[in-house]
Amino acid sequence: MTVQDVFVIRGRGAVATGRVEYGELRVGDEVRINDGPGVRVDAIEAFRKKLDTAKAGDHVGLLFKRLTNGDLAAGDVITSAGYFLA
C-alpha cells in the first residue's frame, strides 16, 4: 500500500491512509514501512467503520499506536513483513 496521507490522533497513534494494492491485511499483522523494521497494525478503518481485514482495492486507514507523524509520510510504501524488495 502506498501511503496517501498521514494523520496523528492524540492518544491513539498515527493513521496512514491509502488503497490496498494486493493481498489481504488483518488487524495484528506485522508490516514494514519502506522496508524498515516491522510494526503491528493496531486497527483498520474504512469510512468510519472498523474492519478486521482489508483486501486488495479497499481504501483504508491503518492505525499504528507506536508510531508518530515523523515515522510516516505520504508516498511511503507499506508491505507485508515477510515481503522483501528485490
Side-chain angles (χ1 to χ4, degrees), residues 24-43:
E24 186 173 277
L25 182 65
R26 292 183 175 91
V27 173
D29 283 356
E30 188 172 282
V31 297
R32 293 182 189 273
I33 300 165
N34 296 331
D35 205 28
V39 62
R40 181 179 186 262
V41 176
D42 295 303

Side-chain angles (χ1 to χ4, degrees), residues 34-83:
N34 296 331
D35 205 28
V39 62
R40 181 179 186 262
V41 176
D42 295 303
I44 301 172
E45 291 189 13
F47 304 105
R48 299 181 191 252
K49 183 178 177 182
K50 288 193 176 203
L51 303 173
D52 292 326
T53 62
K55 298 177 282 196
D58 290 348
H59 291 271
V60 296
L62 305 178
L63 174 70
F64 302 99
K65 290 182 180 177
R66 296 185 177 173
L67 298 183
T68 63
N69 195 21
D71 297 324
L72 284 167
D76 285 351
V77 177
I78 298 174
T79 57
S80 168
Y83 178 78

Side-chain angles (χ1 to χ4, degrees), residues 9-28:
I9 302 172
R10 189 179 301 189
R12 292 207 60 207
V15 177
T17 64
R19 184 175 66 89
V20 179
E21 295 175 18
Y22 66 91
E24 186 173 277
L25 182 65
R26 292 183 175 91
V27 173

